[in-house]
Amino acid sequence: MASLLHQIQHQSVTIAAPLPLDSGQILPSVTIAYQSYGTLAADRANAVLVCHALTGDQYVASDHPATGKPGWWARMVGPGKPIDTDRYFVLCANVLGSCMGSSGPASPDAATGAPLGMHFPVITIADMVRAQAMLLDHLGIDRLHAVVGGSMGGMQALAWTAHYPERLGSAIVIASAARHSAQNIAFHEVGRQAIMADPDWQDGQYYGSRRAPAKGLAVARMAAHITYLSEAGLTEKFGRRLQARDIKSFGFDADFQIESYLRHQGLAFTDRFDANAYLYITRAMDYFDLADAHDGRLAGAFTGAKDVRFTLVSFDTDWLYPTAESRRIVQALQSVGAAASFVELSAPFGHDSFLLDVPALDRLVAGALGSGG
């Protein structure tokens, strides 16, 4: 599926300007794939940037070209919806390092034309945001009404406030954190090792070989997907119920419904994502720590963002980015005098609550956009 994935045509722009990376390397030019919704106002003051999560993409409110499924936040973005495309020009860019048209490991080497694979430089969340800023420059958008994101999208929103505070009015950060914890890194490492242990990974040079590390990528997705759910939600949805059988098989087939569900999630993921991209993006998330450049003081990251209006949302069943992480951000913002509101919502869905039907979140996002910038 990987070869088919990279044949999909995306709306994109290639910017012939160098992008210096946190690693010290430089991308000589950058391709950024994106989708836009709504109309940019004459004064260009109604732009809202939506940042996607690890396994998301730019198809926030339109059908996915590989799967045909609705956009990952179609319930949130659209005419009359919380992020109202009748009012706002909504932009979502595929992150640097991903596999849906932006520069990443599947991009061709300028010298050979072959996919870069693992020769693509390691990137960070800040690098992703710098690429997004280049896209905004290309589109003639100097300032955002708001930047909105959940999970890794929330990390990008936070990075925007740290690196470009003068370019946005408000930031809406949902189910996110200002750093990746040791536990978060551990789960990502399990996924990366699953991919790299797959003999079809071929040291990342599997493009065009008709063999891709689908099994390893599926296992990585299965492990990660567990972290997106809550124990209560899993128990309610699956419990210990058997899958399409009355008795245990006393073998290693998918006896339990939860096993079948995870296997399906893993296999379906390989139809729309690239294994190398998964390696690069998870590494970028693991490196994320806004306080690192400020001697461990998170408040130092927000000293320039006193004019940005912050809205933070967490969920009580999210153990991947628990409420304590949002409170840490709020405390840092308060210490520098930034305007910040914070709400912990109750939802049974765990970390994935920001993607699912939580009406209270819809109201919060709509309200925050109405009072922002």
Side-chain angles (χ1 to χ4, degrees), residues 18 33 97 118 153 210 231 243 300:
M118 302 306 286
R210 297 187 180 181
E231 181 180 4
Q243 174 69 24

Side-chain angles (χ1 to χ4, degrees), residues 41 71 79 81 92 113-114 164 188-189 201 264 280 292 343:
K81 295 181 180 180
C92 186
Y164 301 102
H188 276 175
E189 177 62 2
W201 182 57
H264 170 75
Y280 276 85
D292 192 43
V343 179

Side-chain angles (χ1 to χ4, degrees), residues 3-336:
S3 60
L4 295 176
L5 184 65
H6 298 121
Q7 293 172 13
I8 296 172
Q9 296 297 310
H10 306 279
Q11 180 183 0
S12 66
V13 59
T14 297
I15 300 172
L19 173 60
L21 304 174
D22 281 343
S23 66
Q25 297 195 59
I26 297 175
L27 288 178
S29 66
V30 184
T31 297
I32 307 166
Y34 66 96
Q35 288 285 298
S36 62
Y37 309 86
T39 303
L40 187 62
D43 62 2
R44 299 177 181 270
N46 69 331
V48 173
L49 177 66
V50 174
C51 301
H52 69 75
L54 164 59
T55 63
D57 48 58
Q58 66 270 39
Y59 296 100
V60 58
S62 46
D63 291 349
H64 195 282
T67 66
K69 293 183 178 179
W72 56 270
W73 231 11
R75 51 168 278 273
M76 185 70 74
V77 177
K81 295 181 180 180
I83 304 177
D84 189 351
T85 53
D86 287 336
R87 296 181 60 192
Y88 305 112
F89 175 72
V90 181
L91 186 69
C92 186
N94 188 223
V95 297
L96 191 68
S98 190
C99 54
M100 293 300 287
S102 292
S103 294
S107 298
D109 186 309
T112 66
L116 285 164
M118 302 306 286
H119 294 295
F120 187 75
V122 170
I123 43 91
T124 65
I125 298 293
D127 294 331
M128 296 174 182
V129 167
R130 291 185 191 105
Q132 292 165 359
M134 293 173 73
L135 174 63
L136 293 184
D137 290 343
H138 173 79
L139 296 175
I141 300 171
D142 295 328
R143 192 170 188 271
L144 292 165
H145 177 76
V147 59
V148 186
S151 194
M152 188 186 83
M155 294 178 181
Q156 294 166 67
L158 288 170
W160 263 97
T161 70
H163 294 281
Y164 301 102
E166 73 286 353
R167 297 192 67 169
L168 62 151
S170 66
I172 303 173
V173 180
I174 307 166
S176 195
R179 63 181 177 188
H180 235 207
S181 69
Q183 178 177 260
N184 298 148
I185 297 169
F187 275 108
H188 276 175
E189 177 62 2
V190 170
R192 287 191 294 265
Q193 289 299 318
I195 290 169
M196 292 187 287
D198 189 321
D200 289 336
W201 182 57
Q202 304 171 71
D203 293 325
Q205 299 299 331
Y206 52 84
Y207 303 111
S209 72
R210 297 187 180 181
R211 292 189 295 121
K215 291 180 179 178
L217 180 59
V219 172
R221 173 62 170 177
M222 289 169 68
H225 197 72
I226 296 168
T227 72
Y228 305 151
L229 309 172
S230 71
E231 181 180 4
L234 281 172
T235 299
E236 180 180 351
K237 188 171 183 178
F238 302 107
R240 290 182 51 84
R241 292 186 291 276
L242 298 179
Q243 174 69 24
R245 65 189 70 206
D246 297 322
I247 59 174
K248 302 179 184 69
S249 69
F250 290 93
F252 296 98
D253 200 0
D255 274 7
F256 295 99
Q257 288 182 7
I258 182 57
E259 293 175 317
S260 179
Y261 172 77
L262 287 176
R263 292 185 186 189
H264 170 75
Q265 289 293 326
L267 290 173
F269 186 58
T270 65
D271 289 340
R272 66 174 183 87
F273 218 81
D274 177 55
N276 281 344
Y278 194 87
L279 298 179
Y280 276 85
I281 300 174
T282 56
R283 179 51 94 199
M285 294 177 73
D286 291 348
Y287 281 164
F288 185 66
D289 182 356
L290 273 186
D292 192 43
H294 303 277
D295 298 321
R297 282 189 67 253
L298 180 57
F302 301 124
T303 53
K306 296 177 183 178
D307 294 329
V308 178
R309 187 180 190 89
F310 288 81
T311 301
L312 290 101
V313 183
S314 70
F315 297 96
D316 59 355
T317 54
D318 183 354
W319 57 273
L320 184 63
Y321 300 120
T323 292
E325 295 290 347
S326 291
R327 291 192 188 281
R328 177 173 175 256
I329 298 168
V330 172
Q331 289 168 358
L333 291 169
Q334 290 174 339
S335 73
V336 300

